[in-house]
Amino acid sequence: MQFSSEVENLFTQEEIEEILEDEQQFYIEHAEKNWLERYFKIKAMANETQVPSIVSSISDMPHESSDFKKSKTEMYALKAIQVSEWLKKLDSAIQSLSPIEQELIELKYLRKRNDGSRYSDEVIYPQLYIGRKKYYKMKKEALDILGRKLYGVFSERGHS
């Protein structure tokens, strides 16, 4: 307990709030830029039905060799698995939100209007039967949660 009171004396309440706000903003931006803004592109890749050429190459190089080239079929299969994993991770993170937060994220980021644009906030909050102020607070909290859950998910393998 003594340590925490000493730390509290190092920072003013305003400084602590600013640090926490900066941290929250980092996770919000991570959720939006690295996940939600990529959703439609990744989804399109998952729905791609193009089948690669099924011509195999024969090589006398050992499989572990750095010069060994993977077949087009193998590369396509790996990409399809990565895309599927990405969508599952995003879906799992969204499912951890409350039902109204899930609906907010769905309406704001995972659906598009007929003209291809996203729905504006002014269209969404009345659909959720909440006021403007509550909507923006809820949106911020939901994005923060998503950003924290999704941060570093694929970084250990080098693809995100």
Side-chain angles (χ1 to χ4, degrees):
M1 285 296 193
Q2 186 178 359
F3 175 75
S4 66
S5 64
E6 288 175 12
V7 170
E8 287 173 3
N9 291 332
L10 293 175
F11 299 100
T12 66
Q13 185 63 34
E14 292 81 23
E15 289 172 326
I16 292 170
E17 288 172 12
E18 186 177 328
I19 290 167
L20 293 175
E21 194 171 311
D22 287 348
E23 180 183 349
Q24 182 183 43
Q25 190 58 39
F26 170 82
Y27 287 112
I28 288 170
E29 287 175 12
H30 176 72
E32 286 184 316
K33 288 188 174 100
N34 297 320
W35 291 85
L36 299 170
E37 289 178 8
R38 293 181 178 177
Y39 173 76
F40 289 104
K41 183 178 177 185
I42 300 287
K43 185 90 168 154
M45 289 169 62
N47 294 333
E48 213 172 71
T49 56
Q50 175 187 349
V51 177
S53 163
I54 308 196
V55 175
S56 294
S57 60
I58 299 173
S59 171
D60 59 355
M61 297 295 292
H63 184 68
E64 290 79 28
S65 167
S66 62
D67 292 337
F68 181 80
K69 293 187 176 166
K70 294 179 178 164
S71 71
K72 288 180 183 176
T73 306
E74 185 179 6
M75 292 302 289
Y76 180 80
L78 288 172
K79 186 158 290 289
I81 290 168
Q82 289 172 345
V83 165
S84 176
E85 277 184 42
W86 191 95
L87 289 168
K88 283 179 188 172
K89 293 290 185 185
L90 177 60
D91 185 57
S92 175
I94 291 171
Q95 293 302 316
S96 72
L97 300 173
S98 72
I100 194 165
E101 289 171 330
Q102 288 178 36
E103 192 174 356
L104 185 155
I105 295 298
E106 169 87 19
L107 290 168
K108 180 65 183 170
Y109 297 99
L110 309 182
R111 284 195 197 156
K112 286 190 176 179
R113 298 174 359 162
N114 291 339
D115 65 2
S117 64
R118 287 202 171 129
Y119 289 98
S120 68
D121 295 322
E122 290 73 23
V123 170
I124 297 170
Y125 65 79
Q127 289 183 37
L128 298 174
Y129 302 104
I130 58 175
R132 185 178 188 275
K133 193 172 183 178
K134 184 174 182 180
Y135 169 81
Y136 283 107
K137 185 177 191 294
M138 187 183 299
K139 178 180 161 187
K140 190 175 184 179
E141 289 170 1
L143 289 170
D144 181 33
I145 292 166
L146 285 180
R148 290 173 191 275
K149 289 192 175 288
L150 295 168
Y151 182 74
V153 166
F154 289 115
S155 62
E156 65 278 359
R157 292 200 311 241
H159 44 81
S160 113

